Amino acid sequence: MKISLEQKKMPDKWCNILPDLGFAVPPPLTGTGHHMSGIHLADIATNDIIEQELEENKRDIPIPGKIRELYSEWRPTPLFRAERWEKSLGTPARVFYKYEGGNSAGTYEANTAIPQAYYASEQGVKCLVTATSTGEMGISLAMACNYFHLQCKVYMVRSAYEEKAYGRYIMELLGAEVVPSPSSETDIGKKSLAEDPASSGSLGVALSEAFEYTNTRDDAKFCWGTVMNHVLLHQTIIGLEAQLQMREVKAYPDSIIGAVGGGSAFGGLAFPFYRDGKRDTRLIAVETAAAPSLSKGTYRYDYADAAGMTALYKMYTLGRSFVPAGIRAGGMRYHGISPIVSALYREDEIQTKTHTQTQAFQSAVDFARAEGVIPSPEASYTLKAVADEALECKESGKRKDILFVLTGNGNLDVATFNDFLAGSVEDQPFFEDQIDAALGELAEE
Amino acid sequence: MKISLEQKKMPDKWCNILPDLGFAVPPPLTGTGHHMSGIHLADIATNDIIEQELEENKRDIPIPGKIRELYSEWRPTPLFRAERWEKSLGTPARVFYKYEGGNSAGTYEANTAIPQAYYASEQGVKCLVTATSTGEMGISLAMACNYFHLQCKVYMVRSAYEEKAYGRYIMELLGAEVVPSPSSETDIGKKSLAEDPASSGSLGVALSEAFEYTNTRDDAKFCWGTVMNHVLLHQTIIGLEAQLQMREVKAYPDSIIGAVGGGSAFGGLAFPFYRDGKRDTRLIAVETAAAPSLSKGTYRYDYADAAGMTALYKMYTLGRSFVPAGIRAGGMRYHGISPIVSALYREDEIQTKTHTQTQAFQSAVDFARAEGVIPSPEASYTLKAVADEALECKESGKRKDILFVLTGNGNLDVATFNDFLAGSVEDQPFFEDQIDAALGELAEE
């Protein structure tokens, strides 16, 4: 069942959660440990984005008209009640999902790509640069750049560049320049290739390369796809719409569930509800067993990229040099997690669930067959957690309302599910050792 | 700019154009040339579908509640005004497109798959069978069958089975059985393989195989994806919604444009407007130069499949044994065209445009970069015709309103566009010879 929202009810402000947290989120620091101000970010970000990144007081940030106009090409997105899936699970719970995979980029990352391109255009920037592990941020940004006649350059983790060719083809069709990372275009890329000529890359290295390239051009800026406050801010359009839609069916979520790679989809869904102050609603962040930054990581200042070119962010981290197992959901392999989400976890306001990829993919297949929508590999983790929650309700007989965000469709990743159904996707048994080793290294730093 | 339609305004009746044509469409005949009645179709189709196929008097066919409920998961679909593309074309024309690629199947064929599965379920059918050249009907039917707990079996043209693996993976993920055609499962398939063990198949043969299989099972029925009256009927939901949306912006189309493979998307868009009786609106059917059934074909009775297992339909045809060049848009390679569309063409109510695939794909790339939506290879032909029409307006300075249907998104076909951009897609020069040879054969029959 689709729960629509009238076009004219699309929110016109994003929700900045910082003033409502009731506790302070430790601020970013410069690499030398000093207080961070806008000037330190100006080389890589536009002024409006820096302002949003550092805004601690304003609760509501107006969405400019041009962004609203572009949002409205696919927003409000539908909220669905997954009645067929509920039935197949045999649960008394009502399961609602906010579907962000229906736009032409197929992913929620369009929600932040559009504003970032808009602000860049307003400031006279000519080129936007990003790093992508799954292709989703790259596709979204390529689309957004076209709308504002900007060049788009994407550093794509080499393994994804080779294995996820369709995502790359889409970016190139849209006119973006896609560079496999590590590349020989940057010092960091060259260094990485010198260490391992066959390196399959990592998001951390791709981010560093994108930073290095951005710094060489006065007319280029870098775009984050997750982690940063301003990205989570843009994604709150998800939760703000979902609030209005849940109200339409006179429901309020008992559980709000989302997978966390960098934390932006989860934050975008959860923050507007968190602001309501109903503390009996559980917020559940779902991690992959291959990179459980929140549940296993250390809460400390760390860089957001591999080479240490970013500011320092206080976050749960497995260490910037952590290289997780080669799981299929590239977006879940990041070493850290949004500082705001980290702080909420520190304050015990968020719970975590951790699943392996075969658990996640089985739930994805069940969901796809019931609902007709193929989820992205990343969203599959959410589905496993939701299924568990719904099955708990079956045990207990409680009729809870569960809300989750389905961040993207998996049509371009369907080869992964084909491999899974053929039995060739495994849960590597060395996850625990890998993580313990990374944490050991981190402790010695 | 998106032109929405309120959920409650979604039409509750399909538009049967037959009573409003003002001329008779020659009826289907049995293979022996006799009048066709429902009993001849009962082995392969459900009673409701047969009734719709043969209905000549009722102008409006109510859409059952359960179908409306499922339609409403993605309908009303948005109508867009392609302002960015208009600007890049420099045309004074206003270009509107009805976007049917935003559902989870990514294609308009879901509009007919859902009702066909519903009626089958109501009649106690256990299995639905179809043939697919692009995968789109297969994906749509696999999805629809799950909603009604039906088995789904798809005969997929072997070249597509091998080259369009993602479409196949999606069908299999959704639980459908996908058989490459020609197969050794049927007599027709065996015969075809005996003649050419390396046969890459054709839609005509896949249809025959699907028919043969359906006939072996009492509990199975066959589903058409295009050509037949009932399919065009279901697709009129496209035009009915578009009428309401055009009214919202106080516009009426001067030209209505759609690519024709079998004619169902074009008919679905055009028929409700045709019923308005405004004869100064031009209806433009767009063909591929590789299979121009309307503009080059002969108007005569022909079978709808290769082996001659279907009824005989009066249509423009290149002959059921015509094997067109191996162009990338599988959905455009069919030898015939809907009897209703054929009759309208006979009566000079429809104009045709014919384009090659490189012309089509260049327009698709231009459109994708401007609008952010990647069209299917089939829809690319429409875009070339629309671009030409818009450029004519630029020449003449006339501000026309152009309406077209974007039948599906091309995300699963993006490898085709990648090949095109790399220069490896060509317009084979022997199209004309091939078509002339086929027509020569047909004349001798």
Side-chain angles (χ1 to χ4, degrees), chain A residues 2 4 7 70 72-73 75 80 84 104 146-147 166 169 172-174 365 368-369 371-372 412 418, chain B residues 2 4 7 70 72-73 75 80 84 104 146-147 166 169 172-174 365 368-369 371-372 412 418:
Chain A
K2 179 174 73 177
S4 306
Q7 193 65 53
L70 288 167
S72 72
E73 292 192 6
R75 309 203 68 90
F80 286 100
R84 292 185 295 268
S104 53
N146 279 343
Y147 295 166
Y166 277 39
Y169 294 160
E172 288 172 345
L173 169 55
L174 294 174
V365 170
R369 290 184 179 173
E371 295 296 318
L412 298 179
N418 185 60
Chain B
K2 180 174 75 178
S4 305
Q7 193 63 54
L70 288 167
S72 72
E73 292 193 5
R75 307 202 70 88
F80 287 98
R84 291 184 294 268
S104 52
N146 279 344
Y147 295 167
Y166 277 39
Y169 294 159
E172 289 173 344
L173 169 54
L174 294 175
V365 170
R369 289 184 180 174
E371 294 296 317
L412 298 179
N418 185 59

Side-chain angles (χ1 to χ4, degrees), chain B residues 21-103:
Chain B
L21 284 179
F23 54 86
V25 174
L29 300 176
T30 66
T32 51
H34 291 84
H35 179 75
M36 189 77 171
S37 72
I39 201 159
H40 296 103
L41 298 169
D43 283 347
I44 60 135
T46 58
N47 299 335
D48 292 286
I49 291 295
I50 293 168
E51 197 176 301
Q52 291 178 356
E53 182 64 27
L54 302 175
E55 177 59 58
E56 293 180 352
N57 300 310
K58 285 187 206 151
R59 302 178 72 232
D60 300 301
I61 310 292
I63 307 175
K66 182 68 189 169
I67 297 173
R68 287 209 308 279
E69 187 190 318
L70 288 167
Y71 271 180
S72 72
E73 292 193 5
W74 78 92
R75 307 202 70 88
T77 58
L79 181 77
F80 287 98
R81 182 169 164 205
E83 289 174 293
R84 291 184 294 268
W85 193 38
E86 288 170 15
K87 208 171 167 186
S88 74
L89 290 166
T91 179
R94 296 194 299 180
V95 176
F96 298 91
Y97 68 98
K98 183 73 170 161
Y99 183 47
E100 293 289 321
N103 62 47

Side-chain angles (χ1 to χ4, degrees), chain B residues 260-306:
Chain B
V260 288
S264 67
F266 172 77
L269 176 67
F271 291 173
F273 289 94
Y274 187 80
R275 184 157 76 174
D276 285 344
K278 300 193 181 176
R279 291 294 177 268
D280 46 352
T281 291
R282 292 163 65 217
L283 307 184
I284 302 171
V286 190
E287 303 191 294
T288 173
S293 326
L294 275 180
S295 58
K296 292 279 181 75
T298 305
Y299 191 50
R300 56 171 285 177
Y301 274 99
D302 196 4
Y303 292 97
D305 69 325

